[in-house]
Amino acid sequence: MKKLSIDLSNAPADICKEYDKALAIMAELREDKEDYTGWVNWPATIPEEWMSKMESVAEVVRSKCDKLIVIGIGGSYLGTAAVIEALGGSKPGYPEVVYAGNNMSGYYLAGLEKVVKDNETCVCVVSKSGGTMESRLAFSVIKGWMYEKYGREETARRIVAITDPHKGILREEANAEGYETFEIPSNIGGRYSAFTPGIMFPLAVAGVDIRAFVGGALEMSKDEEYWKEEGVKYALTRHALNEAGKDIEVVEYYDPSLRLIGEWCKQLFGESEGKEGRGLFPASLTFSTDLHSMGQFLQEGHQIFFETVINILNRDKDVTVPESAGADLAGRSLNDINLMAVKGVMAAHRKADIPIVRIDVEDVTEASLGQLLYFLMMTSAVTGKLMGIDPFNQPGVEDYKQEIRNLLGQ
Ligand code: PA5
């Protein structure tokens, strides 16, 4: 399969000065000797029993429900939501996936009561720690609605819990209630968990080919030549631009179906790199939509940012512009016009001296999304290490959680 290619415009001339260091970082990551580097070789080592169990349990869940509620937040749901959205939703005839536990809005959660009442519902609750407040709250409320509808025993048969193999309150509850379970390996953190059951099991329920998805990641992970020549460029450029004074990376895409890929990038980059007063602030924009709000700022505003364009070369659906649109546009493919927009906007931004990284992605399939997510995970880890921080911890998120706990008298 064709791999992602990287095109750089207006990048600093010296991006390669840390080339050897970046390759050494990658080699060390592959040795998997640090805490939370289990994701690096995971696509090559995921046990076959895990893959087949995910597929067979997904089959059972599918036979029971038309809606799957995925309860989780951050790394415990964004990968699922991003992949399903990019692929255009669940496969026809497969359960629709609905999300809960990714906020604390009573208004939002109240809206899901009808989903449980009006549909055959199953739940997949994903929490590595097992104790995250948002998922705990949503899980307890949704379980209550399910008890009313199905009774406790049948509810337990409709719940799949994905959590740490040994510890946490979700693991304890799953053991006590007899839920079907999967593990998130202890040495893989939330935002690096894209190829673990936490993300792949709900994908399987939605009809996503998880073998092709992890296969894309595997191809990316094992191709050392690719990383030496092409892949490493993105991490080096991000770091060099940050050193050159750019504080913001704007991730852009020209298709709204990639919006959650943008959210996934924000979580991966933000939580991995924003430490010790360092890091790139990740933002994301959907074009051409956001050109009509942010285009002016990008072209002429304060140049504190660079752009990363995730450019999809081929999509499997398109429309031809009809005669009624006018002779200048009639007969053209809308996707081709969209690609012209990519080129036109990049030409304008190049003139404004904005550094731009364009990542060309051949198409949007399970395999290419697997490639892309693995590529971004490796990139964020290498950039973080080049910045001199630990990309795998998140010490800064404890403070706000404690303040909330204080207010709740916990
Ligand atoms: O990347 C991370 O570690 C976080 O975003 C977690 O995924 C998120 O906080 C959810 O944590 P948990 O899976 O423990 O509920």
Side-chain angles (χ1 to χ4, degrees):
M1 188 179 41
K2 205 159 171 217
K3 293 221 169 53
L4 316 175
S5 67
I6 315 288
D7 176 86
L8 308 175
S9 315
N10 300 337
D14 61 347
I15 64 155
C16 281
K17 80 174 192 268
E18 300 209 86
Y19 177 80
D20 291 338
K21 189 170 171 189
L23 291 192
I25 290 170
M26 259 182 258
E28 259 174 49
L29 287 170
R30 287 207 178 89
E31 285 176 23
D32 183 18
K33 286 196 177 134
E34 268 178 73
D35 285 348
Y36 298 109
T37 50
W39 59 274
V40 180
N41 301 317
W42 182 248
T45 52
I46 181 167
E48 170 53 33
E49 312 89 83
W50 288 36
M51 294 298 295
S52 39
K53 183 177 166 192
M54 279 189 272
E55 289 165 336
S56 60
V57 177
E59 193 66 54
V60 175
V61 167
R62 277 203 292 271
S63 70
K64 277 181 174 286
C65 73
D66 44 47
K67 293 270 193 271
L68 175 73
I69 304 183
V70 171
I71 302 176
I73 191 164
S76 287
Y77 98 102
L78 270 170
T80 304
V83 170
I84 291 178
E85 188 178 79
L87 292 172
S90 297
K91 220 163 136 184
Y94 287 67
E96 189 196 339
V97 180
V98 177
Y99 302 94
N102 55 54
N103 59 65
M104 286 194 256
S105 160
Y107 179 83
Y108 177 88
L109 193 54
L112 294 186
E113 184 171 9
K114 203 168 152 41
V115 171
V116 175
K117 286 209 166 126
D118 296 353
N119 296 278
E120 285 304 331
T121 305
C122 287
V123 160
C124 173
V125 54
V126 187
S127 177
K128 171 95 189 286
S129 61
T132 302
M133 189 176 302
E134 288 88 339
S135 28
R136 262 177 66 198
L137 290 167
F139 188 38
S140 59
V141 172
I142 291 169
K143 247 183 334 194
W145 294 330
M146 289 177 74
Y147 287 163
E148 273 174 35
K149 180 168 176 175
Y150 300 116
R152 194 165 174 138
E153 267 180 39
E154 176 57 17
T155 296
R157 284 195 282 269
R158 287 171 177 261
I159 292 173
V160 176
I162 310 184
T163 186
D164 184 272
H166 311 294
K167 53 183 197 298
I169 54 173
L170 182 56
R171 173 60 61 185
E172 284 164 26
E173 177 176 329
N175 291 345
E177 300 286 330
Y179 305 150
E180 185 61 83
T181 62
F182 290 97
E183 297 173 13
I184 302 176
S186 307
N187 62 344
I188 299 182
R191 58 195 175 276
Y192 290 88
S193 68
F195 303 99
T196 72
I199 299 304
M200 290 212 295
F201 172 71
L203 288 180
V205 177
V208 173
D209 180 347
I210 56 173
R211 287 182 193 266
F213 178 60
V214 78
L218 174 61
E219 247 197 78
M220 188 50 94
S221 73
K222 67 178 188 204
D223 192 342
E224 292 190 29
E225 285 311 304
Y226 171 81
W227 281 104
K228 278 186 201 157
E229 280 162 30
E230 191 70 5
V232 71
K233 281 200 272 186
Y234 182 36
L236 289 170
T237 307
R238 296 178 77 239
H239 183 234
L241 287 168
N242 191 218
E243 294 273 281
K246 298 295 183 189
D247 288 328
I248 297 175
E249 175 174 16
V250 185
V251 178
E252 299 160 0
Y253 29 85
Y254 285 69
D255 191 320
S257 67
L258 298 189
R259 189 185 63 85
L260 288 175
I261 296 279
E263 294 303 313
W264 184 86
C265 286
K266 276 152 71 175
Q267 192 230 351
L268 177 69
F269 292 160
E271 213 165 29
S272 299
E273 298 164 14
K275 285 159 207 171
E276 301 176 31
R278 277 171 260 180
L280 284 161
F281 182 91
S284 63
L285 295 174
T286 309
F287 286 170
S288 63
T289 318
D290 294 334
L291 283 170
H292 295 260
S293 54
M294 296 300 289
Q296 171 59 33
F297 188 102
L298 295 171
Q299 191 76 40
E300 294 184 347
H302 192 186
Q303 296 291 309
I304 44 177
F305 63 90
F306 68 94
E307 298 174 81
T308 296
V309 182
I310 300 182
N311 183 35
I312 308 295
L313 298 173
N314 299 294
R315 292 234 64 171
D316 56 357
K317 283 190 201 148
D318 196 2
V319 293
T320 303
V321 181
E323 294 293 326
S324 58
D328 53 336
L329 296 171
R332 292 175 175 228
S333 127
L334 200 56
N335 284 342
D336 286 350
I337 295 175
N338 205 22
L339 287 172
M340 293 301 123
V342 178
K343 285 191 184 157
V345 173
M346 282 184 67
H349 290 187
R350 264 190 221 113
K351 276 194 256 164
D353 270 340
I354 301 167
I356 310 171
V357 182
R358 195 187 72 223
I359 302 175
D360 284 333
V361 185
E362 203 47 33
D363 52 22
V364 179
T365 60
E366 282 95 337
S368 58
L369 290 170
Q371 264 202 18
L372 178 65
L373 266 48
Y374 188 91
F375 172 82
L376 294 166
M377 277 157 47
M378 181 56 94
T379 298
S380 76
V382 175
T383 314
K385 295 256 177 193
L386 288 171
M387 287 172 178
I389 49 90
D390 176 356
F392 307 122
N393 64 7
Q394 54 281 329
V397 300
E398 209 25 59
D399 278 0
Y400 82 80
K401 287 184 183 169
Q402 191 52 50
E403 291 292 340
I404 298 175
R405 286 195 285 263
N406 293 346
L407 289 170
L408 291 172
Q410 291 178 329

